[in-house]
Amino acid sequence: MSKNHRGSGIRSLPAHGRGTCAICKKSDIKVLWEKEIDGKTVKICKFCNAALKNKARNEAPAAAPAAEAAPAEEAPATEAPAEANA
């Protein structure tokens, strides 16, 4: 099968989608992903995009058990006064 249309989406972009990454500062690299960093929307390369996604994915499981543990600690505190009044 031919691959005639590969990359056709970036042919219309200036410099065919190439520029300088706002995070790693590599030049003449494809910067096709827009991310909001410090309140600004900047274009970054695919390597920095993957690094940001992996960082967010690794932080999410660490926050989830902490959120689940907090209600478990509050539950005995609310049950204790009910038992004392009975």
Side-chain angles (χ1 to χ4, degrees), residues 1 7 10 16 19 22 27 30 43 48 75 78 84:
M1 301 204 81
I10 63 173
H16 298 283
S27 60
K30 289 181 188 172
K43 291 195 167 223
C48 293
T78 58

Side-chain angles (χ1 to χ4, degrees), residues 64-76:
E68 292 173 3
E73 293 172 5
E74 293 174 6

Side-chain angles (χ1 to χ4, degrees), residues 11-80:
R11 288 183 194 144
S12 62
L13 297 175
H16 298 283
R18 293 187 179 268
T20 303
C21 179
I23 296 177
C24 64
K25 307 297 185 210
K26 288 183 184 177
S27 60
D28 297 327
I29 192 168
K30 289 181 188 172
V31 285
L32 302 174
W33 292 267
E34 292 184 356
K35 291 289 180 176
E36 186 173 333
I37 299 173
D38 297 332
K40 293 182 177 181
T41 302
V42 295
K43 291 195 167 223
I44 60 174
C45 64
K46 76 179 202 177
F47 304 110
C48 293
N49 185 44
L52 290 174
K53 281 186 176 181
N54 286 333
K55 182 179 178 183
R57 190 182 74 212
N58 289 338
E59 290 175 354
E68 292 173 3
E73 293 172 5
E74 293 174 6
T78 58
E79 292 175 8

